[in-house]
Amino acid sequence: MKKLLFFCVACLALMVLGSYVTRSVSPGYQVGDKAMDFKLKNVDGKLVSLADNKAAKGFIVVFTCNTCPYAQAYENRIIQLHRQFAPKGYPVVAINANDPVASPGDSFAAMQARARSHTYPFPYLQDETQQVAKTYGATRTPHLYVLTRQGTDLVVSYIGAIDDNSEDAKLVKTKYVENALNDILAGKPAMPNTTRAIGCSIKWKRA
């Protein structure tokens, strides 16, 4: 009886703690939110911010990394998104938020090597403090955000996955990001504007 009572009390305590943690952690951006700017180090050693590209109509911000198999599977598709939509005003900005202590293959030197070997046509930035990823609410690699310029603001227009098949680009049925951007460029809201990001968990720094 005492063991059962202890078990019930322990479960109740965990439920209360879990509820507190859930309420305390910011969920990040939702569609319609104004996105903050940032200044992060690119693989060429220069600092990059969204404000640097004043001609852009918006941005495809993708949280990705070197080591995740999902990120690797989507790598060419991310490059293709940049080639397709950068000329239309929506360039890709890639960000690696993984802690290089927890994931040595995501060190800055490894980022430089991968960007060079795969000829990235877009910035590949290191979110060393992980604050940008936390602010956006990114949890996966890849996790993608389409930002649209509205006056002086950048507003979140789409959040989630790139398409519906992480394993084989040839078997994709729905290209979520491409469809969202085509809607936006046509002056319409993205539909859908949110999907579930599929990928590896971001490797957070230990407290």
Side-chain angles (χ1 to χ4, degrees), residues 17 31 33 48 50 65 73 75 80 86 90 94 107 112 115-116 122 151 153 156-157 181 184 188 190 192 202:
L17 179 60
V31 169
D33 287 347
V48 170
L50 300 180
C65 69
E75 191 168 41
Q80 181 56 36
Y90 284 84
S107 68
Q112 289 177 309
R116 184 167 53 249
F122 45 74
D153 296 335
V156 180
S157 299
L181 282 161
I184 292 165
K188 301 182 294 184
I202 289 178

Side-chain angles (χ1 to χ4, degrees), residues 36-54 56 58-61 82 91-96 108 111 121-128 132 136 154:
M36 61 165 264
D37 200 357
F38 48 74
K39 187 169 285 189
L40 299 174
K41 186 167 66 171
N42 190 19
V43 288
D44 63 3
K46 298 178 181 178
L47 293 176
V48 170
S49 70
L50 300 180
D52 294 336
N53 190 344
K54 293 180 173 57
F59 298 92
I60 306 169
V61 177
H82 178 81
V92 164
V93 176
I95 300 174
N96 186 348
F108 187 68
M111 288 174 60
F122 45 74
Y124 188 28
L125 313 179
Q126 184 183 41
D127 184 9
E128 192 171 4
V132 176
Y136 272 65
L154 287 169

Side-chain angles (χ1 to χ4, degrees), residues 153-169:
D153 296 335
L154 287 169
V155 176
V156 180
S157 299
Y158 172 86
I159 302 173
I162 293 171
D163 56 43
D164 65 354
N165 196 313
S166 60
E167 297 180 5
D168 191 340

Side-chain angles (χ1 to χ4, degrees), residues 59-75:
F59 298 92
I60 306 169
V61 177
V62 55
F63 292 87
T64 186
C65 69
N66 297 341
T67 55
C68 171
Y70 292 91
Q72 293 170 0
Y74 273 113
E75 191 168 41

Side-chain angles (χ1 to χ4, degrees), residues 124-184:
Y124 188 28
L125 313 179
Q126 184 183 41
D127 184 9
E128 192 171 4
T129 67
Q130 303 185 317
Q131 189 56 53
V132 176
K134 290 176 182 176
T135 299
Y136 272 65
T139 58
R140 301 285 174 182
T141 53
H143 203 152
L144 193 139
Y145 297 74
V146 174
L147 310 182
T148 303
R149 195 181 298 282
Q150 296 183 14
T152 58
D153 296 335
L154 287 169
V155 176
V156 180
S157 299
Y158 172 86
I159 302 173
I162 293 171
D163 56 43
D164 65 354
N165 196 313
S166 60
E167 297 180 5
D168 191 340
K170 295 179 181 178
L171 298 179
V172 169
K173 294 180 180 178
T174 306
K175 298 181 178 181
Y176 300 128
V177 174
E178 182 176 330
N179 292 347
L181 282 161
N182 284 332
D183 283 342
I184 292 165

